[in-house]
Amino acid sequence: MNRAKKYFLNALLLSCVTVIMRAVSVSFNAYVTQKIGSEAVGLFTLVMSVYTFAITLATSGINLAAVRLTAQRLALCEEKGADEQTLRKALRREMAGCVLYSLFFGVFASLLLFTLSDVIGTFLLADQRTIPSLKLLSFALTPISLSSALTGYFTGLRKIYKNAIISIGEQFVKITVTCAALMTIAPKGIEYACLAVVGGSCVSEAASLLFSFLLFITDKNKTGGTVKAIQKNRKSSLTRAAEIAFPIALGSYVRQGLLCAEHIAIPAGLRRFGSGGSGALSSYGTLHAMAFPLIFFPSSVIGAFASLLIPELTECAELGKHGQVKRIAEKVVRFSLIFSFGCAGVFLAFGRDMGISVYSSPQAGKYVCAFAPLVPVMYLDTAVDSVLKGLGKQLYCMKVNILDSILSLVLVLILVPRLGTWGYVICVYVAELVNATLSIGKMILETRIRISPSVILRPLFAILVSTTAVRIFTSYFEAFDSSFTEIILTAVIYSALIIPKATFLTQKSYKREKTQFTP
């Protein structure tokens, strides 16, 4: 199987699994929301803002380090013609350092969160109901850190099916345990409802580590080489892992700290705007636990393809294949925009219906429509960040993300107390546009690609035609007047308009490349 076909099949597998998992997650979130109410969801989201920072500390950039080190070692062994046993030893040496690194930071983060839970819940979150959940979540941090290293290993080897198995198993355990906990302890109050959801997450993280470890120790790598030994790197595997991961981690600490402060400031700002305590938590929960999961649901496809670009681009950069890097970047931009404009049109046309259908919340649907025009920017930024990380520009991404977070926090402090939730919508727009502009500009400088206006105008025109046609059609035929049917019809028409043109451009590009680079 050639490299391009293997990449496509891996990406397709990861996309399908991620979409299914996201669909299950959104459905499960809808069930949890109806079961415990928007205020409890807001409280849980507030707890998760601190937990996310703790996860950042626990993982400390190890996933990217494992991906890059594994991909680099695999490329070197294949180039030198290493046999199976030599390749296995080389990969295990790289992972030994990654595991030690993740173990240290995982244990440290667990102890820190458990120790500071009372202080964080009482003074930082200003809600003592969060303390039991924070203490329970601290036990999940070490498994998360170790799992992050192991999934990075599988990504670096392009064994995406193993990450898919891990995700499916983790989600199954999470839903099973959470549902059981909701039925037993959630009726006791909001604090216990939050604790039930948190408990499911903790057990699922432990299960994820178990699945990852079993797949790792049974992993085998076939090779046609015969070389019995490959020269070892002078630096230890722990040092190499730290050199990649820790600079990223430092930036991630700053960014997640700012994000955590931003999430804490949003309910506080809403209270100053005039919402009561429960009203502020409800609005916050509607935004972050209902609207955003819907907005980012399709991004799992972009995320799947983009995450697999990191080892591909790392190998191309390592071997000096600059022409191939440019071609990959051009295709990333083209197909990211085609996909994201289609999603944006669907959200804008049918977002209100989605909010009602999924969450029985017109307000959630209103926020989906509000963020719809920003979807192409957000999705493209995700793909561009993966391109830059694959080229070793993770420190630049870190700086841009820190700037994004600082800007977001400042705008939240200024606008939310004055404009409420719509002030936060403005904050997201400004921060995302700044972030994407800086990231895309850097990618253009590094890869020397050109972005034609037609790459934007064609999908924009196609989605406008598609949504308009569907609206007119369903107004005459009431039998098709349902949000699900309208979305399917829009997707079919949009695909018919855009895919033949995209395929033609890809074939034309391929012929030009073949003519240019064939001796």
Side-chain angles (χ1 to χ4, degrees):
M1 184 185 297
N2 62 44
R3 180 62 56 84
K5 187 175 180 181
K6 186 176 182 180
Y7 168 80
F8 179 77
L9 290 176
N10 278 330
L12 186 62
L13 172 63
L14 185 58
S15 297
C16 291
V17 171
T18 308
V19 167
I20 293 170
M21 291 296 100
R22 285 280 183 93
V24 171
S25 179
V26 169
S27 302
F28 182 61
N29 285 344
Y31 165 76
V32 170
T33 301
Q34 293 175 358
K35 191 80 175 176
I36 67 178
S38 59
E39 183 182 354
V41 169
L43 186 69
F44 171 72
T45 309
L46 197 59
V47 169
M48 294 305 290
S49 66
V50 175
Y51 183 51
T52 302
F53 176 78
I55 290 175
T56 302
L57 178 61
T59 55
S60 290
I62 192 57
N63 184 266
L64 180 61
V67 171
R68 287 182 59 83
L69 288 175
T70 304
Q72 288 173 355
R73 183 55 56 178
L74 177 64
L76 179 63
C77 289
E78 287 181 345
E79 185 183 15
K80 300 294 184 182
D83 64 4
E84 186 174 336
Q85 186 176 4
T86 302
L87 175 60
R88 180 185 177 88
K89 288 181 179 179
L91 293 173
R92 292 297 168 90
R93 277 197 298 269
E94 298 293 349
M95 285 305 298
C98 293
V99 169
L100 287 174
Y101 180 94
S102 59
L103 186 63
F104 171 79
F105 280 99
V107 172
F108 174 69
S110 296
L111 293 174
L112 191 65
L113 181 60
F114 185 86
T115 305
L116 298 179
S117 292
D118 291 310
V119 176
I120 293 170
T122 304
F123 299 104
L124 192 61
L125 302 182
D127 196 325
Q128 292 190 349
R129 294 176 296 179
T130 61
I131 295 174
S133 295
L134 290 171
K135 287 185 179 293
L136 183 57
L137 284 170
S138 67
F139 293 101
L141 294 175
T142 302
I144 288 174
S145 181
L146 292 169
S147 296
S148 183
L150 295 175
T151 54
Y153 168 83
F154 295 130
T155 301
L157 295 181
R158 286 86 163 177
K159 295 186 176 181
I160 302 306
Y161 69 94
K162 296 199 173 186
N163 285 341
I165 293 170
I166 295 167
S167 297
I168 293 171
E170 178 186 349
Q171 193 72 273
F172 175 78
V173 172
K174 179 180 179 179
I175 291 173
T176 303
V177 175
T178 303
C179 288
L182 285 174
M183 288 187 289
T184 53
I185 68 173
K188 297 180 180 180
I190 290 177
E191 176 183 344
Y192 290 95
C194 184
L195 201 60
V197 180
V198 164
S201 298
C202 289
V203 176
S204 68
E205 294 298 347
S208 177
L209 175 60
L210 176 61
F211 300 147
S212 302
F213 179 71
L214 291 175
L215 290 173
F216 176 73
I217 60 175
T218 57
D219 183 59
K220 293 182 179 180
N221 297 285
K222 296 181 180 180
T223 176
T226 57
V227 176
K228 298 292 184 181
I230 298 292
Q231 185 177 2
K232 297 180 181 179
N233 198 305
R234 294 182 180 180
K235 296 179 181 178
S236 69
S237 59
L238 177 59
T239 301
R240 294 197 301 278
E243 285 178 346
I244 295 174
F246 196 62
I248 303 168
L250 290 175
S252 298
Y253 301 155
V254 176
R255 191 194 181 201
Q256 286 300 330
L258 291 167
L259 284 174
C260 182
E262 177 189 331
H263 282 275
I264 293 170
I266 293 170
L270 291 173
R271 285 192 290 269
R272 288 199 298 274
F273 176 69
S275 304
S278 61
L281 279 177
S282 295
S283 298
Y284 176 64
T286 302
L287 263 170
H288 280 274
M290 298 184 194
F292 280 164
L294 282 178
I295 285 288
F296 288 108
F297 171 67
S299 69
S300 56
V301 176
I302 294 288
F305 278 86
S307 65
L308 294 179
L309 288 174
I310 296 176
E312 295 292 336
L313 288 167
T314 297
E315 184 172 327
C316 289
E318 185 80 11
L319 301 176
K321 298 179 180 179
H322 303 298
Q324 191 168 344
V325 168
K326 181 180 178 181
R327 292 192 294 277
I328 290 173
E330 288 174 343
K331 291 176 182 177
V332 166
V333 172
R334 184 186 307 131
F335 288 105
S336 295
L337 289 174
I338 288 173
F339 181 79
S340 59
F341 270 108
C343 294
V346 169
F347 286 135
L348 190 60
F350 313 114
R352 290 177 183 271
D353 297 333
M354 290 180 186
I356 295 171
S357 300
V358 178
Y359 297 110
S360 301
S361 172
Q363 191 68 18
K366 190 183 297 183
Y367 291 138
V368 170
C369 293
F371 286 114
L374 194 61
V375 164
V377 177
M378 293 191 290
Y379 287 15
L380 179 60
D381 186 46
T382 299
V384 168
D385 276 0
S386 293
V387 171
L388 291 175
K389 288 175 182 177
L391 297 176
K393 303 300 177 184
Q394 56 268 16
L395 291 180
Y396 179 83
C397 294
M398 173 197 73
K399 293 174 184 177
V400 172
N401 289 333
I402 290 174
L403 176 62
D404 176 339
S405 300
I406 293 173
L407 182 59
S408 296
L409 178 59
V410 171
L411 290 174
V412 163
L413 294 173
I414 295 172
L415 296 179
V416 174
R418 292 170 173 79
L419 302 175
T421 52
W422 295 109
Y424 181 64
V425 172
I426 296 172
C427 298
V428 174
Y429 264 84
V430 174
E432 285 291 342
L433 288 170
V434 170
N435 190 319
T437 300
L438 294 173
S439 297
I440 294 169
K442 182 66 172 178
M443 184 190 68
I444 291 172
L445 288 175
E446 292 294 327
T447 61
R448 306 294 180 90
I449 68 169
R450 294 180 180 180
I451 301 177
S452 170
S454 63
V455 175
I456 297 172
L457 295 177
R458 284 195 185 100
L460 178 59
F461 174 75
I463 194 60
L464 288 174
V465 171
S466 303
T467 52
T468 303
V470 169
R471 282 300 193 191
I472 294 172
F473 176 77
T474 54
S475 67
Y476 284 100
F477 299 94
E478 294 184 0
F480 295 94
D481 189 12
S482 72
S483 56
F484 179 76
T485 305
E486 288 175 330
I487 291 170
I488 295 298
L489 288 174
T490 302
V492 170
I493 297 172
Y494 181 71
S495 300
L497 291 173
I498 203 72
I499 288 179
K501 186 66 177 178
T503 305
F504 170 75
L505 289 173
T506 303
Q507 291 173 347
K508 185 178 178 182
S509 175
Y510 172 76
K511 289 177 182 177
R512 184 176 65 250
E513 291 162 7
K514 189 175 181 180
T515 303
Q516 184 175 355
F517 292 100
T518 302

